[in-house]
Each structure stands twice: as C-alpha cells, then as structure tokens.
Amino acid sequence: MDFVPLIISAKLAVVSTILLLVLAMPLAAALVFGRFPGRFLADSLVSLPLVLPPTVLGFYLLMLMGPNGAVGKAWSSWAGGSLVFTFTGITLAAMIHSLPFAVQPLKTSFQKIDKRLLEMASVLGASPAAIFFRVIVPNSLGGLAASAILAFAHTMGEFGVILMIGGSIPGRTKVASIAIYEYVETMHYREAAYMSLILVIISYLVLVGVNMLNSRERHA
Amino acid sequence: MLEARIIKKRKHCTIDIDLCCKRGQLVALTGPSGTGKTTIIRTLAGLEKPDGGRITFNDSPWYDEKVNCWLPARKRRVGYVFQEHTLFPHLKVAGNVGFNCKDTGRVKELLALLGISHLAESMPHQISGGEKQRAALAQALASDPQVLLLDEPFSALDHNTRLRLRRELKRLQAHLEIPIVLVTHDREEASFLGDLRLELSGDDIRNEEPALPKDYICPFPVLVRQPAPCASHPL
C-alpha cells in the first residue's frame, strides 16, 4: 500500500487546520459579538459549505482559482504560478470547505461566555484585543480544541473539492480519499480496505476526543 | 465629582434623573425592581448609552448628547461590582484582582485590606459567595478607580455575610475618598451606607436625606449633612 496519499492528507489537514484556526477565531468572534449590518448574511455564507454538494463548491472554486478566475489571476501575478493542481490550491479549497466546521464550535463556545465577564474586562480598562485574548480565548479552550479536531478530521476525509481543484497528482495532490477511490476503481480492494480502516480509526479517535472535550466542558 | 443627567427610554417608561456624587460620598439608589436602578449604574459605567443628558466627572465629559460625546467604559476608570460574582473563572483570585493592575504590591495590599490574602492562589469556584464579592471589590479597586459603582453587591449573600460586608464597605469608604454609587433594594442598607439616598419609584424619582442608625458614627459628617446636592449642581 502506498502511504504517500495518507501523508499528504495528514499534511493538508495540519496546515489547513492551523490556518483555519487563525481565520476562524476572529471570524467567530465577529459573528457572535459583532453588531454590524449583514451579520446574518455573513453567518449564513460561512455555513454555506455545510449544505452545498462538494462538487458544486469545487466547481465554483475551480472557476475562481483557475487561470482565468479572479483569485487565480491575482495569485499568478503575485506568486507567478497556478493555484489549481497544487498543494497550495487544495489547502485553500480545503480551508473554505472546512470553514464551518472550525467556526461553529467556536461560535457555540463564545456564546456560552457570560457577557458580564466581557463587560467587567471592559470596565477594568481592557481593550477589545485584550478582552479577546485574555478573556474570550482562555474561556473557550474546549471550543478551540473541538474546532481544531473537527477541521482536521473533515480535511482528512476531503474528496470532492480536492478532486475538482487538485486532481489526482501522485505525491502532490493525491490524498487518501482519492487514493481509496482509485484503488476501488482498479479493483485493489485489499489496499482500499487498509487505507479506509486507517481513516476510520483516525475519525473514531477524533470523535472520542470531541466527546471527551464536550464532557469536560459540561463538568467544568 | 460625578454629575449626571440621564435620560434613558425604556419599553414602558422613560428614566430621567439628575444625580450628583461628591468625592468620598456614597449615593444609594433604591427602589423596587424595574425602576431602572441597574440601567442608571450601567450608564454611568459606560456599559449602556443613554438616550439623552450628560455625564461628567470632575467637569470632563463622559457623555454629552449635545456634542455627541461618548467615552467608552474602558476609558472611564471606574470600579464596578456586579450583583453576582463575575470573577474570571480561568484566573486565580490574585490574577482576578490584578487583571489590569501590574502592581503586585497593590494587589497584595488590596487582598489584605479585604481579608482574603489567604485566598490569593484559589480559583473562583473554590471560594464562597462572600469571598467572591470581596475579591470582586478588590478587583474593582485595583485599577485605582475614579468612581466606584456597586450594583446590589450583597444581594446574593446570606444575611450575616451581608451585614459583615456592609460594615467592611463602610470602612473602605473612609479609605477611598472617591464618589461611590450603590444600587440596593434594601432601604436599611441604603440608610446605613448612603450619605444620600435617591429613591426611584416608578416614574417618580426623589432625593431623600440619609437616615442613619442612631449608633452609627459616619466618617464624613460634613458630607452626610449635605442637602440633596443635585439641586445645588444643576447640569
């Protein structure tokens, strides 16, 4: 069995999870605590990948990130290369597809924070940034971990969007789920079974982790 | 001196009060639930914006409807103690008191002043309600506030603890020499602590002279004898 697709999947999941957390934390805070026009529209847009078929999302991302798309052109003029069929391209696509999985647990966690704690911090002279890092983040560690775990797990199993943006280039964009699909197509059931089992174990461990965190939060 | 004319529209009525609190003075806001006591104190803290009026501290404006001036809560340097415990649950008591006070000496001093030095390393969930309110008071005082605002700080406590903390607050008042506004349901508490009581009753708001217990010796006899000061300091 070729382990390279698993390594690419793991690398993709780690990189996109780290970047997603950086993006999701301020985004979730803005959606929960922000009072700006169009907040509900923004909230719905963030959640859209949850309900869209991956191929639909992948198609629009391909249009945007392709050589004639706005993002593709901007990337090409800045970095001098293509976004599609690259690891960077699939990372960006995976991040967009997993965004709601990172944002939702953070939103739930932020909503649980007693508003008076934020008011107290404000009265004590803390700036909005200080309130975020010194009150909101330390009181949302469970949500932060759940967000990271779900984003990681979702990216590990990513298929449709990755196939649309990255194709199946061995050693570059061929991830575990695509490798399983190809094993089945070529009737290599034993390899497909091994790789699937590894993904099942990873997914199960992730869910155990999320449940442990939820249980710890409930008892805290 | 804290001076305020606060106009705040609510669902069924409009709050419209004049309030004035001098250095070292404690103004007690009393009245039944729903008369807007907490709204007034939140407005003074900068947590809610009034619909009209003016709030000044030592003649510098915190809010002025006419010139569209609004100083956010974090810039007002007020100490605020909420009705219920609002200690940061992820910080120890000392960390809570020193949340925005880098001076560890002052934190220790405040912990000692409120008799909770032994709890410095405890987490908020490990201490009692009375101890939490003491810690909240120390936290409010740590940032060297210009004004102290207390929103029913003792209402969630048992009778004995309430009486003990009331006496401690009276003792602290002598130390602080800053304007203090206290919201309370308890007329006796207002009489014991307040140099002036502002009674809110539905839409009617009236100032009353303090009614102190006979055996109580107030550390600020001059201020206690002040007549309703808002009348003498119209905004």
Side-chain angles (χ1 to χ4, degrees), chain A residues 116-117 119-128 134-135 138-139, chain B residues 42 47 73-74 78 80 82 84 86-90 99-100 139:
Chain A
R116 288 172 307 174
L117 292 180
E119 290 183 338
M120 177 52 82
S122 177
V123 168
L124 288 170
S127 65
R134 296 181 62 198
V135 181
N139 283 293
Chain B
R42 284 175 62 82
L47 296 173
R74 68 190 165 92
V78 299
Y80 194 114
F82 283 81
E84 280 175 36
T86 43
L87 295 179
F88 301 111
H90 61 291
F99 181 79
N100 236 16
Q139 185 187 53

Side-chain angles (χ1 to χ4, degrees), chain B residues 207-220:
Chain B
N207 294 330
E208 289 182 1
E209 287 291 334
L212 295 172
K214 282 175 188 166
D215 58 343
Y216 172 64
I217 301 162
C218 179
F220 295 101

Side-chain angles (χ1 to χ4, degrees), chain A residues 23-40:
Chain A
L23 178 71
M25 280 201 288
L27 190 58
L31 291 174
V32 172
F33 304 115
R35 295 286 171 269
F36 54 90
R39 187 163 62 102
F40 294 107

